């Protein structure tokens, strides 16, 4: 979400009032984000986020992101639905395709996962969805396809 502002989410995911409430609960804007990204704004104190603010990465720099993710720089997922072949189907397959065993002879390193829909079939992201992840009010069992 490098180039998007929070107001990008209005009418796509949230109403303006809902988004303002969510931003009030989020961590404050750190002046370090502006400084390290080359934007020299006159803000040197932390403040609450506004709808007109940019969506910054939780990491201050590429080195910070690599050290938090096992040496790998995480991808910017803001355009993943339009940049990959298959679009939304690619996102669906990445989220739900963890239920397969690796074929004979495929070595999956510790801390990595076999994923047949990922380009190299070895992915570092743990399964984001699993059975029982959601609880429905009517008691419907939560399961993946």
């Amino acid at each position: 979400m490098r180039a998007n502002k929070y107001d990008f989410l209005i009418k796509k995911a949230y109403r303006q009032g809902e988004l303002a409430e969510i931003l009030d609960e989020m961590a404050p804007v750190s002046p370090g984000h502006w400084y390290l990204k080359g934007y020299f704004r006159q803000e040197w104190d932390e403040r609450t986020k506004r709808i007109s603010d940019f969506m910054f990465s939780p990491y201050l720099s590429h080195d910070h992101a690599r050290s938090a993710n096992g040496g790998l720089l995480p991808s910017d997922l803001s355009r993943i639905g339009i940049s990959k072949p298959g679009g939304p189907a690619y996102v669906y397959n990445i989220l739900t395709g963890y239920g397969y065993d690796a074929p004979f002879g495929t070595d999956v390193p510790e801390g990595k996962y076999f994923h047949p829909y990922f380009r190299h079939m070895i992915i570092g992201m743990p399964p984001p969805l699993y059975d029982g992840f959601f609880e429905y009010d009517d008691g419907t069992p939560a399961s993946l396809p």
Side-chain angles (χ1 to χ4, degrees), residues 36-107:
L36 289 172
K37 296 194 181 309
Y39 302 114
F40 297 99
R41 308 280 176 136
Q42 296 298 320
E43 294 186 34
W44 299 108
D45 296 323
E46 290 188 347
R47 61 168 176 78
T48 57
K49 291 184 178 169
R50 295 182 214 133
I51 292 176
S52 60
D53 287 337
F54 283 99
M55 294 182 199
F56 283 125
S57 167
Y59 310 110
L60 291 175
S61 66
H62 288 295
D63 293 329
H64 183 218
R66 283 190 179 99
S67 67
N69 291 291
L72 299 173
L73 183 65
S75 301
D76 176 25
L77 299 178
S78 62
R79 307 270 186 245
I80 195 81
I82 58 175
S83 64
K84 293 287 187 180
Y90 175 80
V91 175
Y92 174 83
N93 289 333
I94 287 291
L95 291 175
T96 60
Y98 284 88
Y100 300 97
D101 293 329
F104 180 75
T106 303
D107 182 35

